[in-house]
């Protein structure tokens, strides 16, 4: 069983030609709300991957914004452990998605900031705990410590980027970051491979957008090339990757296969609008992998070079 402890936000999304620069106003186009939040997105991804029952610990306000979030999580069969905070609104995120599929996100944490160490449910029966950084750091550290003490594997998606206390890294089994988050955690100097090697966590995975992803497990590097897609909205793609990675690991897949499954799911999510609305089911991911031949030797060498690894 997998427990995701983290945020749920209602995403207010406007599409525009480009993301405004500081001080700039951009006239956007259509506006829509979508269920989001890094924690909830990852819980939905894990549940749709279908490997193990997924539970989520989350904070919600006593308001109308909570309703679509609960509906989306229930619809994905995520078992909820809800901390209701009448004095704090449900989390919201304000997202601009550009025509080249990039986004800029501002989160108002609301109830997410009220998750406390004492809210962690019993971990009996759970194999994996998946955490992100949209809830208070003190809470994240306490949950990681409790999980480690009970033999539950701790997977941390260090997003949004923040400096990580040594105590948190010491209780993390798998760390997942993007390129910017890797620089925040490991420092801005050196190649991707060197940055991965500097982090004292058994397994570290960095997602690299259209380049693919790279993992360091103990002393070995494992790479997965990106799948060819035309992205329309990358919101939630990293969350899809994290939820599916944990689901694949809980199924007992090796890291190479788990990276392939997570990358394929993340790629599919980029081809659709919204966060949870874009996350595929396991069967679709498997069919997508079957349809897409292995990445070329040339692409593999390019990815190795991008990471600062010698060519094979
Ligand atoms: O990672 C994407 C998510 O970040 C969005 O759904 C938004 O709610 C923010 O948490």
């Amino acid at each position: 069983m997998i427990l995701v402890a983290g945020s749920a936000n209602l995403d207010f999304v406007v599409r525009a030609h480009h993301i405004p620069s500081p001080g700039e106003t951009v006239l956007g186009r259509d506006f829509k709300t979508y269920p989001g939040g890094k924690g909830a997105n990852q819980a939905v991804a894990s549940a749709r991957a279908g490997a193990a029952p997924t539970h989520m610990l989350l904070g919600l306000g006593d308001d109308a914004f909570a309703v679509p979030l609960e509906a989306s999580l229930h619809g994905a069969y995520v078992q909820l452990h809800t901390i209701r905070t009448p004095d704090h609104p449900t989390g919201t995120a304000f997202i601009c998605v550009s025509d080249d599929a990039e986004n800029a996100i501002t989160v108002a944490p609301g109830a997410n900031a009220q998750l406390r160490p004492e809210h962690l449910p019993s971990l009996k029966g759970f194999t994996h705990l998946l955490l992100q950084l949209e809830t208070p750091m003190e809470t994240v550290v306490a949950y990681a410590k409790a999980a480690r003490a009970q033999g539950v594997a701790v997977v941390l998606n260090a997003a949004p980027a923040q400096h990580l206390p040594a105590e948190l890294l010491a209780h993390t089994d798998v760390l997942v970051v993007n390129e910017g988050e890797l620089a925040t955690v490991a420092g801005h100097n050196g190649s991707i491979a060197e940055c991965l090697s500097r982090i004292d966590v058994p397994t570290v995975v960095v997602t690299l957008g259209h380049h693919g992803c790279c993992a360091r497990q103990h002393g070995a590097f494992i790479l997965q090339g990106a799948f060819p897609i035309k992205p329309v909205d990358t919101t939630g793609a990293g969350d899809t990757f994290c939820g599916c990675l944990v689901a694949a690991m809980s199924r007992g897949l090796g890291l190479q296969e788990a990276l392939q499954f997570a990358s394929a799911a993340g790629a599919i999510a980029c081809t659709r609008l919204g966060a949870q609305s874009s996350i595929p089911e396991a069967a679709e991911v498997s069919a997508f992998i079957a349809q897409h031949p292995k990445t070329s030797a040339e692409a593999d060498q390019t990815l190795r070079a991008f990471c600062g690894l010698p060519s094979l």
Side-chain angles (χ1 to χ4, degrees), residues 243-303:
C244 288
L245 184 73
V246 174
M249 291 190 307
S250 83
R251 235 194 318 152
L253 293 188
L255 190 55
Q256 181 79 70
E257 274 182 290
L259 291 177
Q260 183 191 45
F261 185 83
S263 300
I268 294 170
C270 289
T271 64
R272 299 172 183 155
L273 295 178
Q276 286 159 44
S277 51
S278 71
I279 298 170
E281 304 270 350
E284 188 182 0
V285 180
S286 301
F288 182 85
I289 291 171
Q291 275 163 19
H292 289 80
K294 281 173 75 77
T295 45
S296 68
E298 192 188 344
D300 291 348
Q301 290 308 342
T302 306
L303 176 56

Side-chain angles (χ1 to χ4, degrees), residues 5 14 40 42 59 64 67 81 91 94 96 107 120 141 164 187 202 228 232 243 278 291:
V14 62
Q42 294 179 19
V67 176
H81 304 251
F94 299 86
C96 180
V107 172
L120 187 69
V141 174
L164 301 183
V232 296
S278 71
Q291 275 163 19

